[in-house]
mmCIF file of all heavy atoms in Angstrom:
data_model
loop_
_atom_site.group_PDB
_atom_site.id
_atom_site.type_symbol
_atom_site.label_atom_id
_atom_site.label_comp_id
_atom_site.label_asym_id
_atom_site.label_seq_id
_atom_site.Cartn_x
_atom_site.Cartn_y
_atom_site.Cartn_z
ATOM 1 N N PHE A 29 -10.174 26.196 8.814
ATOM 2 C CA PHE A 29 -8.976 25.447 8.318
ATOM 3 C C PHE A 29 -9.085 25.345 6.774
ATOM 4 O O PHE A 29 -10.173 25.506 6.203
ATOM 5 C CB PHE A 29 -8.964 24.009 8.918
ATOM 6 C CG PHE A 29 -10.217 23.215 8.755
ATOM 7 C CD1 PHE A 29 -10.464 22.486 7.606
ATOM 8 C CD2 PHE A 29 -11.148 23.168 9.812
ATOM 9 C CE1 PHE A 29 -11.630 21.806 7.447
ATOM 10 C CE2 PHE A 29 -12.292 22.444 9.637
ATOM 11 C CZ PHE A 29 -12.544 21.757 8.465
ATOM 12 N N GLU A 30 -7.941 25.062 6.201
ATOM 13 C CA GLU A 30 -7.889 24.837 4.731
ATOM 14 C C GLU A 30 -8.175 23.351 4.455
ATOM 15 O O GLU A 30 -7.848 22.527 5.254
ATOM 16 C CB GLU A 30 -6.498 25.227 4.172
ATOM 17 C CG GLU A 30 -6.307 26.687 4.168
ATOM 18 C CD GLU A 30 -5.070 27.075 3.316
ATOM 19 O OE1 GLU A 30 -4.930 26.478 2.216
ATOM 20 O OE2 GLU A 30 -4.248 27.909 3.800
ATOM 21 N N THR A 31 -8.772 23.125 3.275
ATOM 22 C CA THR A 31 -9.213 21.702 2.968
ATOM 23 C C THR A 31 -8.369 21.081 1.886
ATOM 24 O O THR A 31 -8.669 20.004 1.413
ATOM 25 C CB THR A 31 -10.612 21.667 2.576
ATOM 26 O OG1 THR A 31 -10.852 22.529 1.423
ATOM 27 C CG2 THR A 31 -11.511 22.180 3.713
ATOM 28 N N VAL A 32 -7.258 21.672 1.469
ATOM 29 C CA VAL A 32 -6.405 21.127 0.459
ATOM 30 C C VAL A 32 -5.856 19.758 0.952
ATOM 31 O O VAL A 32 -5.295 19.637 1.999
ATOM 32 C CB VAL A 32 -5.170 22.002 0.140
ATOM 33 C CG1 VAL A 32 -4.248 21.302 -0.884
ATOM 34 C CG2 VAL A 32 -5.686 23.329 -0.398
ATOM 35 N N GLY A 33 -6.109 18.697 0.140
ATOM 36 C CA GLY A 33 -5.650 17.365 0.474
ATOM 37 C C GLY A 33 -6.450 16.654 1.548
ATOM 38 O O GLY A 33 -6.109 15.538 1.991
ATOM 39 N N LEU A 34 -7.558 17.330 2.038
ATOM 40 C CA LEU A 34 -8.277 16.779 3.161
ATOM 41 C C LEU A 34 -8.928 15.425 2.771
ATOM 42 O O LEU A 34 -8.906 14.477 3.577
ATOM 43 C CB LEU A 34 -9.400 17.713 3.554
ATOM 44 C CG LEU A 34 -10.422 17.197 4.558
ATOM 45 C CD1 LEU A 34 -9.699 16.821 5.872
ATOM 46 C CD2 LEU A 34 -11.485 18.261 4.872
ATOM 47 N N THR A 35 -9.453 15.305 1.550
ATOM 48 C CA THR A 35 -10.062 14.061 1.178
ATOM 49 C C THR A 35 -9.125 12.837 1.227
ATOM 50 O O THR A 35 -9.487 11.775 1.732
ATOM 51 C CB THR A 35 -10.706 14.149 -0.222
ATOM 52 O OG1 THR A 35 -9.728 14.612 -1.069
ATOM 53 C CG2 THR A 35 -11.902 15.101 -0.219
ATOM 54 N N PHE A 36 -7.928 13.104 0.789
ATOM 55 C CA PHE A 36 -6.950 11.997 0.818
ATOM 56 C C PHE A 36 -6.430 11.715 2.220
ATOM 57 O O PHE A 36 -6.154 10.536 2.520
ATOM 58 C CB PHE A 36 -5.762 12.304 -0.141
ATOM 59 C CG PHE A 36 -6.031 11.911 -1.574
ATOM 60 C CD1 PHE A 36 -6.848 12.673 -2.406
ATOM 61 C CD2 PHE A 36 -5.520 10.703 -2.056
ATOM 62 C CE1 PHE A 36 -7.152 12.251 -3.702
ATOM 63 C CE2 PHE A 36 -5.768 10.305 -3.382
ATOM 64 C CZ PHE A 36 -6.573 11.050 -4.180
ATOM 65 N N GLN A 37 -6.339 12.768 3.031
ATOM 66 C CA GLN A 37 -5.942 12.497 4.412
ATOM 67 C C GLN A 37 -7.030 11.673 5.153
ATOM 68 O O GLN A 37 -6.660 10.814 5.970
ATOM 69 C CB GLN A 37 -5.699 13.839 5.133
ATOM 70 C CG GLN A 37 -4.637 14.717 4.536
ATOM 71 C CD GLN A 37 -3.427 13.955 4.162
ATOM 72 O OE1 GLN A 37 -2.734 13.384 4.945
ATOM 73 N NE2 GLN A 37 -3.099 14.010 2.890
ATOM 74 N N MET A 38 -8.250 11.971 4.875
ATOM 75 C CA MET A 38 -9.377 11.254 5.436
ATOM 76 C C MET A 38 -9.316 9.766 5.055
ATOM 77 O O MET A 38 -9.410 8.908 5.952
ATOM 78 C CB MET A 38 -10.734 11.845 4.979
ATOM 79 C CG MET A 38 -11.927 11.066 5.333
ATOM 80 S SD MET A 38 -13.378 11.637 4.455
ATOM 81 C CE MET A 38 -13.051 11.047 2.795
ATOM 82 N N LEU A 39 -9.082 9.479 3.802
ATOM 83 C CA LEU A 39 -9.051 8.074 3.360
ATOM 84 C C LEU A 39 -7.856 7.392 4.005
ATOM 85 O O LEU A 39 -7.969 6.174 4.324
ATOM 86 C CB LEU A 39 -8.944 8.032 1.825
ATOM 87 C CG LEU A 39 -10.128 8.602 1.041
ATOM 88 C CD1 LEU A 39 -9.863 8.470 -0.458
ATOM 89 C CD2 LEU A 39 -11.413 7.875 1.387
ATOM 90 N N LYS A 40 -6.722 8.095 4.161
ATOM 91 C CA LYS A 40 -5.554 7.444 4.753
ATOM 92 C C LYS A 40 -5.794 7.146 6.258
ATOM 93 O O LYS A 40 -5.466 6.063 6.724
ATOM 94 C CB LYS A 40 -4.355 8.409 4.639
ATOM 95 C CG LYS A 40 -3.844 8.579 3.187
ATOM 96 C CD LYS A 40 -2.778 9.589 3.120
ATOM 97 C CE LYS A 40 -2.297 9.800 1.645
ATOM 98 N NZ LYS A 40 -1.241 10.830 1.589
ATOM 99 N N VAL A 41 -6.413 8.096 6.984
ATOM 100 C CA VAL A 41 -6.724 7.836 8.363
ATOM 101 C C VAL A 41 -7.648 6.669 8.546
ATOM 102 O O VAL A 41 -7.457 5.790 9.402
ATOM 103 C CB VAL A 41 -7.266 9.122 9.040
ATOM 104 C CG1 VAL A 41 -7.803 8.794 10.420
ATOM 105 C CG2 VAL A 41 -6.201 10.238 9.108
ATOM 106 N N ILE A 42 -8.674 6.589 7.752
ATOM 107 C CA ILE A 42 -9.630 5.490 7.798
ATOM 108 C C ILE A 42 -8.908 4.190 7.458
ATOM 109 O O ILE A 42 -9.122 3.202 8.112
ATOM 110 C CB ILE A 42 -10.836 5.720 6.877
ATOM 111 C CG1 ILE A 42 -11.668 6.859 7.346
ATOM 112 C CG2 ILE A 42 -11.695 4.438 6.748
ATOM 113 C CD1 ILE A 42 -12.781 7.259 6.453
ATOM 114 N N ASP A 43 -7.976 4.210 6.532
ATOM 115 C CA ASP A 43 -7.262 2.997 6.189
ATOM 116 C C ASP A 43 -6.426 2.531 7.345
ATOM 117 O O ASP A 43 -6.243 1.296 7.599
ATOM 118 C CB ASP A 43 -6.313 3.299 4.934
ATOM 119 C CG ASP A 43 -5.684 2.026 4.437
ATOM 120 O OD1 ASP A 43 -6.420 1.075 4.069
ATOM 121 O OD2 ASP A 43 -4.439 1.931 4.459
ATOM 122 N N VAL A 44 -5.862 3.498 8.142
ATOM 123 C CA VAL A 44 -5.102 3.059 9.339
ATOM 124 C C VAL A 44 -6.056 2.403 10.307
ATOM 125 O O VAL A 44 -5.649 1.422 10.934
ATOM 126 C CB VAL A 44 -4.423 4.342 9.930
ATOM 127 C CG1 VAL A 44 -3.843 3.980 11.281
ATOM 128 C CG2 VAL A 44 -3.315 4.817 9.005
ATOM 129 N N PHE A 45 -7.266 2.933 10.464
ATOM 130 C CA PHE A 45 -8.226 2.321 11.387
ATOM 131 C C PHE A 45 -8.527 0.901 10.921
ATOM 132 O O PHE A 45 -8.601 -0.050 11.803
ATOM 133 C CB PHE A 45 -9.526 3.156 11.415
ATOM 134 C CG PHE A 45 -9.431 4.483 12.062
ATOM 135 C CD1 PHE A 45 -10.352 5.429 11.858
ATOM 136 C CD2 PHE A 45 -8.272 4.788 12.774
ATOM 137 C CE1 PHE A 45 -10.291 6.663 12.413
ATOM 138 C CE2 PHE A 45 -8.210 6.062 13.375
ATOM 139 C CZ PHE A 45 -9.226 7.003 13.190
ATOM 140 N N TYR A 46 -8.723 0.657 9.625
ATOM 141 C CA TYR A 46 -8.936 -0.640 9.105
ATOM 142 C C TYR A 46 -7.736 -1.537 9.402
ATOM 143 O O TYR A 46 -7.879 -2.757 9.774
ATOM 144 C CB TYR A 46 -9.154 -0.605 7.596
ATOM 145 C CG TYR A 46 -10.622 -0.453 7.241
ATOM 146 C CD1 TYR A 46 -11.261 0.722 7.428
ATOM 147 C CD2 TYR A 46 -11.290 -1.476 6.615
ATOM 148 C CE1 TYR A 46 -12.620 0.914 7.093
ATOM 149 C CE2 TYR A 46 -12.638 -1.349 6.275
ATOM 150 C CZ TYR A 46 -13.320 -0.203 6.516
ATOM 151 O OH TYR A 46 -14.610 0.028 6.142
ATOM 152 N N TYR A 47 -6.515 -1.021 9.269
ATOM 153 C CA TYR A 47 -5.289 -1.728 9.481
ATOM 154 C C TYR A 47 -5.213 -2.269 10.915
ATOM 155 O O TYR A 47 -4.905 -3.414 11.170
ATOM 156 C CB TYR A 47 -4.121 -0.904 9.156
ATOM 157 C CG TYR A 47 -2.749 -1.497 9.420
ATOM 158 C CD1 TYR A 47 -2.154 -2.294 8.442
ATOM 159 C CD2 TYR A 47 -2.085 -1.245 10.550
ATOM 160 C CE1 TYR A 47 -0.936 -2.888 8.616
ATOM 161 C CE2 TYR A 47 -0.791 -1.817 10.765
ATOM 162 C CZ TYR A 47 -0.211 -2.593 9.815
ATOM 163 O OH TYR A 47 1.058 -3.138 10.016
ATOM 164 N N VAL A 48 -5.613 -1.384 11.818
ATOM 165 C CA VAL A 48 -5.592 -1.739 13.274
ATOM 166 C C VAL A 48 -6.717 -2.706 13.574
ATOM 167 O O VAL A 48 -6.495 -3.760 14.314
ATOM 168 C CB VAL A 48 -5.707 -0.491 14.166
ATOM 169 C CG1 VAL A 48 -5.879 -0.875 15.620
ATOM 170 C CG2 VAL A 48 -4.473 0.412 13.939
ATOM 171 N N TYR A 49 -7.922 -2.421 13.120
ATOM 172 C CA TYR A 49 -9.081 -3.200 13.518
ATOM 173 C C TYR A 49 -9.069 -4.620 12.895
ATOM 174 O O TYR A 49 -9.285 -5.580 13.591
ATOM 175 C CB TYR A 49 -10.333 -2.474 13.106
ATOM 176 C CG TYR A 49 -11.655 -3.145 13.494
ATOM 177 C CD1 TYR A 49 -12.086 -3.096 14.817
ATOM 178 C CD2 TYR A 49 -12.429 -3.881 12.617
ATOM 179 C CE1 TYR A 49 -13.217 -3.749 15.232
ATOM 180 C CE2 TYR A 49 -13.598 -4.462 12.957
ATOM 181 C CZ TYR A 49 -14.041 -4.429 14.291
ATOM 182 O OH TYR A 49 -15.189 -5.089 14.707
ATOM 183 N N TYR A 50 -8.859 -4.664 11.558
ATOM 184 C CA TYR A 50 -8.893 -5.979 10.877
ATOM 185 C C TYR A 50 -7.559 -6.731 10.886
ATOM 186 O O TYR A 50 -7.535 -7.933 10.851
ATOM 187 C CB TYR A 50 -9.345 -5.796 9.438
ATOM 188 C CG TYR A 50 -10.859 -5.462 9.384
ATOM 189 C CD1 TYR A 50 -11.246 -4.174 9.117
ATOM 190 C CD2 TYR A 50 -11.869 -6.450 9.518
ATOM 191 C CE1 TYR A 50 -12.626 -3.884 9.027
ATOM 192 C CE2 TYR A 50 -13.161 -6.145 9.445
ATOM 193 C CZ TYR A 50 -13.607 -4.872 9.216
ATOM 194 O OH TYR A 50 -14.913 -4.570 9.148
ATOM 195 N N GLY A 51 -6.535 -5.955 10.880
ATOM 196 C CA GLY A 51 -5.183 -6.631 10.856
ATOM 197 C C GLY A 51 -4.621 -6.900 12.196
ATOM 198 O O GLY A 51 -3.682 -7.743 12.338
ATOM 199 N N GLY A 52 -5.192 -6.272 13.264
ATOM 200 C CA GLY A 52 -4.656 -6.499 14.601
ATOM 201 C C GLY A 52 -3.283 -5.948 14.789
ATOM 202 O O GLY A 52 -2.564 -6.424 15.733
ATOM 203 N N GLU A 53 -2.879 -5.035 13.990
ATOM 204 C CA GLU A 53 -1.452 -4.534 14.095
ATOM 205 C C GLU A 53 -1.460 -3.185 14.791
ATOM 206 O O GLU A 53 -2.461 -2.438 14.775
ATOM 207 C CB GLU A 53 -0.886 -4.352 12.696
ATOM 208 C CG GLU A 53 -0.793 -5.642 11.832
ATOM 209 C CD GLU A 53 0.294 -6.562 12.364
ATOM 210 O OE1 GLU A 53 1.209 -6.092 13.027
ATOM 211 O OE2 GLU A 53 0.208 -7.777 12.004
ATOM 212 N N GLY A 54 -0.315 -2.840 15.385
ATOM 213 C CA GLY A 54 -0.130 -1.543 16.007
ATOM 214 C C GLY A 54 0.382 -0.581 15.048
ATOM 215 O O GLY A 54 0.784 -0.953 13.939
ATOM 216 N N VAL A 55 0.258 0.703 15.422
ATOM 217 C CA VAL A 55 0.687 1.845 14.558
ATOM 218 C C VAL A 55 1.921 2.495 15.175
ATOM 219 O O VAL A 55 1.889 2.904 16.300
ATOM 220 C CB VAL A 55 -0.463 2.874 14.382
ATOM 221 C CG1 VAL A 55 -0.002 4.023 13.523
ATOM 222 C CG2 VAL A 55 -1.641 2.247 13.664
ATOM 223 N N LYS A 56 2.975 2.604 14.383
ATOM 224 C CA LYS A 56 4.132 3.331 14.803
ATOM 225 C C LYS A 56 3.986 4.833 14.423
ATOM 226 O O LYS A 56 3.818 5.151 13.245
ATOM 227 C CB LYS A 56 5.388 2.772 14.129
ATOM 228 C CG LYS A 56 5.656 1.302 14.469
ATOM 229 C CD LYS A 56 6.846 0.748 13.746
ATOM 230 C CE LYS A 56 7.124 -0.676 14.170
ATOM 231 N NZ LYS A 56 8.308 -1.265 13.457
ATOM 232 N N PRO A 57 4.063 5.757 15.417
ATOM 233 C CA PRO A 57 3.804 7.110 15.128
ATOM 234 C C PRO A 57 4.617 7.754 13.984
ATOM 235 O O PRO A 57 4.128 8.464 13.150
ATOM 236 C CB PRO A 57 4.175 7.820 16.487
ATOM 237 C CG PRO A 57 3.905 6.746 17.494
ATOM 238 C CD PRO A 57 4.327 5.465 16.825
ATOM 239 N N ALA A 58 5.909 7.426 13.926
ATOM 240 C CA ALA A 58 6.802 8.005 12.853
ATOM 241 C C ALA A 58 6.323 7.554 11.466
ATOM 242 O O ALA A 58 6.174 8.340 10.546
ATOM 243 C CB ALA A 58 8.245 7.599 13.117
#
């Protein structure tokens, strides 16, 4: 796979995990 933008995608995905875990909020797919 190509890694262009991978580091920022990683940080974004982890931020979503934090949002769910600490915020107790759900994630809307769109």
Side-chain angles (χ1 to χ4, degrees):
F29 55 83
E30 289 192 45
T31 59
V32 175
L34 173 59
T35 51
F36 274 78
Q37 303 314 302
M38 172 192 72
L39 297 180
K40 291 175 185 177
V41 168
I42 292 175
D43 187 61
V44 171
F45 293 163
Y46 270 70
Y47 178 84
V48 172
Y49 183 75
Y50 288 102
E53 301 286 342
V55 176
K56 297 179 180 179

